[in-house]
């Protein structure tokens, strides 16, 4: 059986579960007798030679840790042909025959660029945003949603004590999944997402109506792609007499120990990425669909947009209406 020299890196925004993914890649590779080369600081490290061989002990005790032990980066230089050539020369120097890239859609576009230059890449979807439509879930999304709902509950307690309203801004770039899933599973009356834009006048009127019907405390979750909490609060204050506080959750939602679901996803995908290399497959992206691990061409994966669930969005509206 062929032995491989496999590089692994994490890139773009860190996510809880990246370490579980690295652990699975390392241990599954070692089970085949491969050499695993950890590349630090994403594509920056691939250009600058920030590489270290990883042994089993290097990934001991990391499955429960948030962030990424390999560190991460966003690299403008890597987007250039010169940057990509430099990365390829580095891979040749280390005799890496394959590279596992754990990151979001930007990182996948980087992987695709390397694939087009002859490198064998395996993509693993690591982003809290869940904006990669070829897979039902990305690594880190579940933890981010759990982080958000735990903060929403705290905010709800203090808002209720004062009969106040809050608008909470969550991450997701152009994708409303974190907002929608947090709204569905946390104490949220209104959710604003980029995929289903709702006029702010209507949302503000909804808040006034809630109060008329006896609900003095309402929580609005706004996806960053749908606008800023500060702007929505200003709009509501200027057009109604509702007392509303803006809250931006920011990086709180991206850190912390990964949930069991994220650890499981990362572990299954990491092992599969290595198995694909041993099956002689090239340039694939692993993902999960209907709870089955799947793989698609890396170009197909990086070209996919998100798969926002409009039915779920409508159901949130139905379940959070006040029925009298
Ligand atoms: P994420 O992977 O979380 O979406 P980014 O969009 O910042 O994060 O992408 C991570 C890195 O991937 C970028 O900093 C860049 O180095 C690389 N990258 C992004 N887009 C491209 C591209 N079109 N070509 C080559 N590399 C890219
Ligand atoms: O892609 C992950 C993400 O956390 C987005 O949700 C957010 O818009 C962005 O990264 C923040 O980027 P940065 O880490 O550069 O502040």
């Amino acid at each position: 059986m062929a032995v491989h020299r496999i590089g692994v890196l994490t890139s773009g925004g860190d996510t809880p579960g990246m370490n579980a993914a690295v652990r699975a890649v390392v241990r599954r590779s070692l089970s085949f007798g491969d050499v695993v080369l950890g590349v630090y600081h994403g594509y920056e490290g691939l250009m600058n030679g920030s590489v270290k061989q990883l042994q089993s002990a290097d990934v001991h005790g990391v499955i429960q840790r948030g962030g990424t032990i390999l560190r991460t980066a966003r690299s403008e230089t890597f987007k250039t042909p010169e940057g990509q050539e430099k990365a390829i020369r580095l891979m040749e120097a280390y005799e890496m025959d394959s590279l596992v890239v754990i990151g979001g859609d930007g990182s996948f576009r980087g992987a695709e660029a390397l694939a087009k230059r002859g490198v064998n890449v395996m993509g693993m979807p690591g982003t809290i945003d869940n904006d990669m439509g070829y897979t039902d879930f990305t690594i880190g999304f579940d933890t981010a949603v759990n982080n958000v709902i735990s903060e929403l509950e705290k905010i709800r307690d203090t808002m209720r004590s004062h009969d106040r309203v809050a608008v909470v801004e969550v991450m997701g770039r152009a994708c409303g999944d974190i907002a929608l899933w947090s709204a569905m599973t946390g104490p949220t009356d209104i959710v604003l997402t980029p995929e289903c834009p709702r006029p702010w006048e209507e949302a503000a009127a909804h808040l006034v109506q809630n109060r008329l019907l006896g609900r003095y405390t309402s929580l609005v979750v706004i996806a960053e792609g749908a606008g800023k909490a500060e702007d929505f609060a200003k709009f509501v204050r200027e057009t109604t007499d509702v007392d509303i506080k803006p809250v931006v959750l920011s990086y709180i939602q991206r850190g912390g120990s990964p949930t069991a679901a994220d650890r499981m996803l990362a572990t299954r995908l990491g092992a599969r990425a290595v198995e694909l290399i041993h099956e002689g497959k090239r340039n694939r992206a692993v993902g999960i669909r209907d709870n089955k691990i799947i793989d698609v061409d890396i170009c197909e994966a990086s070209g996919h947009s998100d798969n926002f669930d409009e039915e779920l969005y409508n159901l949130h509206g139905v379940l959070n209406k006040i029925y009298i």
Side-chain angles (χ1 to χ4, degrees):
M1 194 196 300
V3 166
H4 291 274
R5 289 176 65 84
I6 301 176
V8 57
L9 60 79
T10 53
S11 167
D14 62 289
T15 71
M18 275 183 165
N19 290 327
V22 173
R23 172 182 176 271
V25 169
V26 171
R27 296 255 169 102
R28 191 69 182 109
S29 301
L30 294 177
S31 78
F32 285 113
D34 298 335
V35 171
V36 192
L37 299 157
V39 181
Y40 289 76
H41 303 285
Y43 292 123
E44 279 292 319
L46 199 61
M47 292 182 297
N48 304 332
S50 194
V51 177
K52 176 181 166 280
Q53 188 173 344
L54 297 175
Q55 308 291 357
S56 193
D58 292 314
V59 290
H60 175 72
V62 306
I63 195 168
Q64 68 270 35
R65 279 171 58 187
T68 162
I69 55 167
L70 291 181
R71 307 292 187 267
T72 185
R74 302 197 200 266
S75 168
E76 283 307 310
T77 316
F78 182 74
K79 289 184 179 170
T80 65
E82 298 74 32
Q84 290 159 21
E85 279 306 319
K86 203 171 168 197
I88 287 170
R89 283 198 296 279
L90 190 281
M91 287 187 71
E92 284 165 359
Y94 276 90
E95 295 177 3
M96 271 181 220
D97 57 71
S98 316
L99 178 69
V100 179
V101 172
I102 308 166
D105 58 344
S107 304
F108 272 33
R109 280 194 292 279
E112 188 187 338
L114 287 176
K116 287 185 173 146
R117 290 172 185 274
V119 174
N120 185 28
V121 291
M122 290 291 155
M124 289 181 63
T127 167
I128 61 166
D129 300 347
N130 210 38
D131 58 352
M132 305 172 86
Y134 81 95
T135 180
D136 289 346
F137 296 106
T138 57
I139 300 163
F141 171 66
D142 186 66
T143 308
V145 170
N146 277 283
N147 286 343
V148 170
I149 60 176
S150 112
E151 300 306 318
L152 289 179
E153 283 155 17
K154 293 174 201 154
I155 294 165
R156 179 72 153 200
D157 287 347
T158 173
M159 292 299 133
R160 177 168 285 147
S161 306
H162 293 264
D163 286 340
R164 276 177 180 157
V165 172
V167 52
V168 182
E169 181 184 319
V170 300
M171 283 182 165
R173 277 197 190 169
C175 179
D177 272 17
I178 295 178
L180 178 59
W181 281 64
S182 307
M184 286 298 286
T185 56
T188 306
D189 300 85
I190 297 175
V191 58
L192 300 171
T193 68
E195 293 86 351
C196 297
R198 186 176 178 193
W200 284 7
E201 291 80 4
E202 199 189 295
H206 187 149
L207 293 173
V208 173
Q209 176 79 350
N210 273 4
R211 206 179 43 186
L212 283 173
L213 296 174
R215 186 176 292 177
Y216 294 102
T217 297
S218 295
L219 236 61
V220 180
V221 168
I222 185 165
E224 64 175 326
K228 292 193 177 307
E230 186 70 53
D231 293 342
F232 181 76
K234 190 163 174 270
F235 176 82
V236 171
R237 274 193 234 106
E238 281 171 3
T239 56
T240 72
D241 60 350
V242 171
D243 181 14
I244 181 166
K245 303 288 178 192
V247 182
V248 182
L249 289 187
S250 187
Y251 298 106
I252 284 172
Q253 68 206 284
R254 210 164 77 180
S257 184
T259 58
D262 272 331
R263 296 180 200 193
M264 179 65 90
L265 180 63
T267 300
R268 291 175 75 190
L269 294 183
R272 186 65 193 133
V274 174
E275 287 158 11
L276 285 169
I277 294 171
H278 280 270
E279 287 168 17
K281 302 274 169 53
R282 292 185 66 79
N283 305 325
R284 309 296 291 171
V286 288
I288 188 161
R289 247 188 247 149
D290 301 327
N291 203 27
K292 298 264 182 309
I293 303 301
I294 51 121
D295 56 275
V296 302
D297 192 274
I298 189 79
C299 303
E300 190 190 322
S302 65
H304 244 284
S305 54
D306 67 87
N307 50 8
F308 185 82
D309 189 340
E310 248 182 84
E311 264 181 46
L312 210 53
Y313 174 85
N314 292 333
L315 182 60
H316 180 268
V318 169
L319 299 183
N320 288 281
K321 207 171 146 196
I322 301 178
Y323 295 94
I324 41 170

